[in-house]
């Protein structure tokens, strides 16, 4: 669905490229995460893919066609939810959706149903200028769905949201994947990526440093130990073991104590990112 080869881009006045020789492919129906700190090149890459930046070198194909060769039909195939919501603040939520929806002939659902999907039905007739950032982000999300696009570009989709609404948006992203949508997420929220993405790419200083499934990356950089806690009248005892079946003291306790918890010591995606890139996500 998306194929990127040797993709580079340099902004006017800059001495070095914002992105350099990017290589990745995204299959139909895949949720692909583009992860990195601010300034890594995530948004630049997305803007090239939805034709807001021209003058790139290399190749960026959507559905087998070079982005620079697409005409307005591209915008009927893709939906974009920006990190910084761009609504008409003096219009209501419903008026915003109806205005932008008028650009398209095909619709996913009507505006009222879309607002209900993200818990904004009671705010349908409120001016968006009075919305919190989280409310604007939810409105931004459903606006990207209005024309039933095949590909969704989501930039920090849970930014500014409380845990309940972030969970709602993530559930909707999974639902959209179930409907066959291809979803490209840029974020520095590793927890979101770990929950949602089939594969992730780590981007730092405009270059991809790693690309794989979240689980594969975690296993590759994890300790091979298991932490086990036992409890009896003497209290809690903890083991951190490389092999559960070869430690005689552990095997003895296994027969005589209550097991409280067993945890593998998998690295978090945050920790893997720092190990691979030497940088934090701040």
């Amino acid at each position: 669905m998306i194929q990127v080869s040797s993709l580079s881009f340099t902004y006017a006045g800059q001495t070095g490229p914002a992105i350099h020789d990017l290589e990745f492919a995204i299959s139909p129906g895949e949720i692909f995460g583009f992860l990195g700190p601010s300034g890594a090149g995530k948004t630049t890459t997305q803007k090239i893919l939805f034709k807001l930046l021209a003058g790139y070198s290399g190749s960026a194909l959507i559905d087998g066609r070079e982005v620079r060769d697409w005409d307005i039909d591209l915008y009927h195939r893709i939906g974009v939810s920006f990190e910084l919501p761009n609504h008409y603040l003096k219009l209501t939520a419903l008026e915003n959706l109806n205005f932008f929806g008028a650009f398209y002939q095909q619709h996913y659902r009507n505006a009222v149903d879309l607002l209900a999907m993200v818990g904004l039905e009671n705010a349908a007739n409120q001016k968006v200028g009075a919305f919190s950032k989280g409310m604007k982000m939810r409105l931004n999300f459903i606006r990207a769905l209005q024309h039933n696009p095949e590909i969704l570009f989501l930039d920090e989709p849970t930014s500014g949201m409380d845990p309940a609404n972030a969970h709602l948006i993530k559930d909707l992203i999974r639902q959209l994947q179930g409907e066959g949508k291809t979803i490209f997420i840029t974020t520095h929220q590793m927890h979101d990526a770990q929950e949602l993405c089939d594969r992730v790419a780590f981007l730092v200083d405009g270059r991809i440093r790693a690309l794989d499934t979240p689980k594969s990356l975690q296993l590759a950089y994890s300790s091979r130990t298991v932490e086990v806690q036992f409890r009896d009248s003497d209290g809690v005892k903890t083991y951190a073991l490389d092999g559960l079946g070869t430690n005689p003291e552990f095997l003895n306790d296994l027969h005589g104590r209550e097991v409280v918890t067993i945890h593998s010591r998998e690295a978090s995606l945050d920790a893997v990112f720092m190990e691979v890139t030497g940088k934090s996500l701040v």
Side-chain angles (χ1 to χ4, degrees):
M1 187 60 77
I2 298 174
Q3 177 77 48
V4 168
S5 301
S6 302
L7 185 65
S8 299
F9 181 85
T10 302
Y11 288 98
Q14 288 192 347
T15 55
I19 56 172
H20 185 72
D21 281 342
L22 300 189
E23 300 269 351
F24 62 89
I26 305 174
S27 301
E30 182 177 13
I31 300 179
F32 184 82
F34 217 47
L35 315 181
S38 298
K42 305 186 304 295
T43 301
T44 296
T45 305
Q46 275 205 338
K47 285 182 176 180
I48 290 170
L49 291 172
F50 46 76
K51 208 175 178 179
L52 286 189
L53 286 177
Y56 63 85
S57 62
S59 178
L61 304 177
I62 291 183
D63 202 15
R65 186 176 180 183
E66 192 68 45
V67 169
R68 63 170 66 91
D69 296 333
W70 276 94
D71 55 19
I72 197 171
D73 287 342
L74 175 66
Y75 300 109
H76 293 276
R77 304 285 296 276
I78 68 173
V80 180
S81 176
F82 297 95
E83 179 186 4
L84 300 176
N86 52 342
H87 305 296
Y88 288 104
L89 301 183
K90 293 184 179 180
L91 298 182
T92 66
L94 190 57
E95 288 169 339
N96 266 278
L97 288 181
N98 286 334
F99 175 78
F100 286 102
F103 292 116
Y104 307 101
Q105 293 181 341
Q106 178 174 307
H107 289 86
Y108 179 68
R109 296 183 185 178
N110 68 47
V112 174
D113 287 344
L114 287 170
L115 288 165
M117 281 175 60
V118 293
L120 289 176
E121 62 272 30
N122 293 330
N125 295 309
Q126 293 180 21
K127 291 185 177 180
V128 175
F131 278 18
S132 66
K133 182 183 178 182
M135 293 172 73
K136 290 175 182 175
M137 288 296 293
R138 282 182 280 156
L139 181 60
N140 211 37
F141 179 79
I142 56 175
R143 195 181 75 191
L145 306 181
Q146 285 194 101
H147 55 297
N148 197 26
E150 299 169 43
I151 304 172
L152 282 166
F153 292 95
L154 307 177
D155 195 358
E156 302 289 357
T158 61
S159 177
M161 295 184 194
D162 60 60
N165 283 311
H167 182 78
L168 170 64
I169 293 300
K170 286 185 278 190
D171 280 348
L172 288 172
I173 290 171
R174 294 186 193 98
Q175 176 186 316
L176 290 162
Q177 182 186 32
E179 296 173 6
K181 310 294 185 191
T182 302
I183 303 171
F184 187 123
I185 296 175
T186 54
T187 185
H188 64 273
Q189 299 292 337
M190 289 295 177
H191 185 68
D192 286 358
Q194 194 166 325
E195 285 188 38
L196 290 171
C197 296
D198 299 306
R199 290 184 305 139
V200 296
F202 289 169
L203 188 72
V204 175
D205 298 330
R207 297 175 184 268
I208 292 177
R209 301 292 181 86
L211 197 165
D212 210 330
T213 67
K215 179 59 70 177
S216 293
L217 288 167
Q218 287 177 271
L219 290 175
Y221 290 89
S222 290
S223 166
R224 300 299 184 186
T225 59
V226 174
E227 183 177 277
V228 185
Q229 287 189 329
F230 292 102
R231 179 170 52 206
D232 64 11
S233 57
D234 295 326
V236 174
K237 185 175 182 179
T238 301
Y239 289 93
L241 303 170
D242 290 322
L244 293 181
T246 58
N247 183 292
E249 186 180 359
F250 164 76
L251 293 173
N252 183 63
D253 281 340
L254 186 62
H255 291 288
R257 289 174 174 248
E258 174 193 357
V259 176
V260 180
T261 62
I262 300 177
H263 295 289
S264 60
R265 287 188 165 180
E266 290 184 356
S268 68
L269 211 54
D270 264 317
V272 175
F273 185 90
M274 293 180 69
E275 178 73 19
V276 170
T277 68
K279 296 194 176 186
S280 71
L281 287 167
V282 178

